[in-house]
Amino acid sequence: MFSYEEIKTIRKQFPILKKKNIIYFDNAATTQKPFKVINAITKYYCNFNSNVKRSFHFLGQFSNNCLELSRNNIKSFINAKYREEIIFTSGTTESINLIAFCIYKLIKKYDNIIISHSEHHSNIIPWQVLSKNKNATLKVIPVNSECELNIRIFNKLITKKTHLISISHVTNTFGIINPIKNLIKTAHKYNSLVLIDGSQAISHITIDVQNLGCDFYVFSSHKMYGPPGIGILYGKKQILEKFPPYQCGGGMIEKVTLKKTIFSGLPFKLEAGTPNIAGIIGTNKALNFIVNYSIIKINNYETKLLKYALKILSNIKGIKIYNYNLTKILSFNIENIHSFDLGKLLNNHGIAVRTGTHCAQPLMEYLKLNGTIRISFAIYNTIEEIDIFYNSLIKVLYFFIY
Ligand code: PMP
């Protein structure tokens, strides 16, 4: 567990926390960035800026090396088997859309795709559109009142015609940890592919894609102390090898004539055009940051914060808390108060929380909620901040009562 002094040192590494008098509890939306990440990006532009996969001068070589170093480190971080299994995209959203595009031709009429009721819109809409265009069925695993997946129904939904199951590892609304290992095991008995949306898990839970056995695992750098605009798509090599190019252009070809093109192998085949090189370098530094502090230690510390927040918030009259798995996401509502109003007033106290439906409208509709207030923690948050948040919340609630 981190000591008070360690957290103080960690906080100093985040310039925004020094400059702004803000309590930032919106980490599930995006995390703040440490100097290490910011400086690496600045240093790259000041000293080494150049393109990759095409320029053979020393700057180009440097950029290439950085890109591939990053790829190798990500491979180790999630324990992928081959570096070719790591594809750079612009984010989780693009990764999911890339997979939907690449399996498009393989989906046949009356095939089905399975998602859950608690997915982020990014993991609903691509499958909705694909199913509609291909006359396939989109099946949805229902959740119970505590937002856990109904596995009994999942076992009935899955058939030999299930092509893909796409499920979040941890939900962004209530921090539910889905039983993905069991789902993957069942899915593979039916020869279905499994895509795991790891956006809310990647900076909190140790990921071992070989142990999980998933076919795809996707996440965004900006939710793990890295820059926005970088996504990582892990896919099993034998599956990605069969994928058609997602986009076509520079950096992904062996040979082009006006009649035909021979495409590169993995990973380049799926990475057309100039990538966000500085972002990829920043991602590598973010990864180092997490590894340096240990994901297990980070998780333990965030759990301590969460338990404390749960304890003091549960004293508030009329509060309904939605947190069932002790993950770092805590959603709540206060009776008769709209989340937007509460969020706005907390903002006046310098506290940043997320309000609304969290890009999960189907789930909110099912639960008959017009939104929740969501607080989510990261390594730099403290018990003191939770105390300030609690006191501000009490003051804000007085405003509503009187
Ligand atoms: N899935 C989940 C579970 C998320 O929390 C998010 C981001 N809120 C996304 C997908 C989309 O990620 P991005 O916007 O980085 O593409």
Side-chain angles (χ1 to χ4, degrees):
M1 187 68 77
F2 294 118
S3 67
Y4 181 73
E5 286 308 313
E6 271 178 302
I7 294 298
K8 255 171 82 179
T9 312
I10 289 169
R11 283 179 68 82
K12 283 190 190 138
Q13 297 179 45
F14 289 82
I16 199 168
L17 300 179
K18 276 204 252 173
K19 287 202 174 125
K20 300 255 183 301
N21 193 12
I22 187 176
I23 292 178
Y24 186 76
F25 282 170
D26 195 15
N27 295 290
T30 198
T31 51
Q32 299 302 340
K33 322 300 172 202
F35 273 121
K36 252 188 172 191
V37 169
I38 299 165
N39 291 347
I41 293 171
T42 310
K43 194 170 149 201
Y44 173 73
Y45 282 130
C46 293
N47 301 292
F48 300 107
N49 179 50
S50 54
N51 212 325
V52 286
K53 304 181 205 169
R54 63 201 78 194
S55 307
F56 291 98
H57 47 75
F58 85 94
L59 288 176
Q61 288 296 334
F62 180 86
S63 290
N64 261 339
N65 291 344
C66 288
L67 190 89
E68 293 313 318
L69 176 71
S70 216
R71 198 188 306 275
N72 283 338
N73 286 342
I74 293 164
K75 168 191 165 283
S76 308
F77 187 61
I78 60 169
N79 195 31
K81 198 164 180 186
Y82 306 106
R83 56 176 279 287
E84 294 90 335
E85 297 181 320
I86 306 300
I87 310 294
F88 290 114
T89 66
S90 66
T92 300
T93 303
E94 191 183 31
S95 298
I96 297 175
N97 278 278
L98 186 157
I99 297 165
F101 175 89
C102 290
I103 66 166
Y104 189 87
K105 280 202 176 141
L106 304 173
I107 305 283
K108 294 185 223 75
K109 207 173 173 179
Y110 309 128
D111 275 357
N112 65 72
I113 289 168
I114 301 180
I115 57 171
S116 88
H117 211 142
S118 48
E119 297 308 312
H120 187 280
H121 295 162
S122 299
N123 199 23
I124 299 176
I125 309 164
W127 309 120
Q128 217 170 45
V129 172
L130 176 59
S131 308
K132 195 162 174 233
N133 288 344
K134 299 289 297 211
N135 261 320
T137 312
L138 184 63
K139 296 184 177 181
V140 180
I141 312 171
V143 292
N144 64 19
S145 59
E146 299 207 330
C147 290
E148 291 159 341
L149 297 185
N150 188 326
I151 299 300
R152 196 177 48 80
I153 297 195
F154 165 69
N155 289 332
K156 286 189 180 155
L157 292 178
I158 190 163
T159 66
K160 291 240 157 64
K161 284 194 163 290
T162 303
H163 199 94
L164 177 109
I165 296 164
S166 193
I167 298 284
S168 49
H169 191 168
V170 176
T171 69
N172 68 315
T173 40
F174 305 136
I176 299 290
I177 305 173
N178 286 323
I180 55 168
K181 203 159 177 193
N182 288 344
L183 291 173
I184 294 164
K185 223 169 149 187
T186 308
H188 284 167
K189 283 189 196 150
Y190 288 84
N191 286 327
S192 167
L193 297 171
V194 185
L195 160 54
I196 303 297
D197 173 355
S199 312
Q200 296 297 345
I202 194 68
S203 61
H204 311 278
I205 298 176
T206 306
I207 305 301
D208 181 334
V209 288
Q210 290 189 70
N211 181 266
L212 285 172
C214 53
D215 300 291
F216 309 104
Y217 196 98
V218 298
F219 53 96
S220 298
S221 172
H222 71 93
K223 292 192 198 281
M224 47 179 284
Y225 310 105
I230 296 294
I232 285 92
L233 186 168
Y234 156 82
K236 278 186 186 153
K237 194 172 161 202
Q238 66 270 29
I239 298 169
L240 295 183
E241 269 167 351
K242 292 191 193 122
F243 271 14
Y246 162 60
Q247 291 182 331
C248 296
M252 49 82 79
I253 54 93
E254 290 290 339
K255 172 91 182 140
V256 181
T257 68
L258 289 179
K259 290 231 166 80
K260 74 169 205 179
T261 296
I262 301 168
F263 299 111
S264 301
L266 291 173
F268 309 119
K269 181 179 76 173
L270 295 169
E271 292 179 346
T274 301
N276 177 353
I277 306 160
I280 292 170
I281 291 171
T283 299
N284 191 33
K285 291 291 171 191
L287 210 101
N288 289 345
F289 175 84
I290 293 177
V291 171
N292 189 31
Y293 284 111
S294 150
I295 203 148
I296 295 169
K297 260 178 105 175
I298 295 173
N299 197 352
N300 287 342
Y301 177 68
E302 288 168 350
T303 306
K304 178 180 144 184
L305 294 179
L306 188 102
K307 281 184 177 165
Y308 183 72
L310 274 176
K311 194 172 125 210
I312 60 170
L313 285 178
S314 57
N315 293 327
I316 295 175
K317 199 168 160 236
I319 196 165
K320 164 87 180 127
I321 296 177
Y322 311 90
N323 179 284
Y324 309 104
N325 286 171
L326 284 184
T327 47
K328 47 90 207 198
I329 293 173
L330 191 163
S331 265
F332 68 92
N333 270 323
I334 310 268
E335 215 175 0
N336 300 326
I337 302 176
H338 197 289
S339 64
F340 284 148
D341 295 334
L342 212 50
K344 223 169 163 189
L345 291 168
L346 284 168
N347 180 53
N348 294 345
H349 286 251
I351 297 166
V353 298
R354 175 83 187 263
T355 55
T357 53
H358 316 301
C359 295
Q361 287 178 9
L363 178 67
M364 293 293 164
E365 209 166 285
Y366 165 72
L367 297 171
K368 298 193 174 43
L369 293 174
N370 55 20
T372 68
I373 298 130
R374 182 184 74 184
I375 58 173
S376 49
F377 300 121
I379 192 171
Y380 38 72
N381 292 126
T382 62
I383 296 280
E384 289 72 24
E385 285 184 319
I386 297 172
D387 282 335
I388 297 170
F389 162 72
Y390 174 79
N391 291 331
S392 303
L393 184 59
I394 297 295
K395 280 186 199 146
V396 166
L397 291 178
Y398 267 109
F399 171 85
F400 282 100
I401 295 166
Y402 299 107

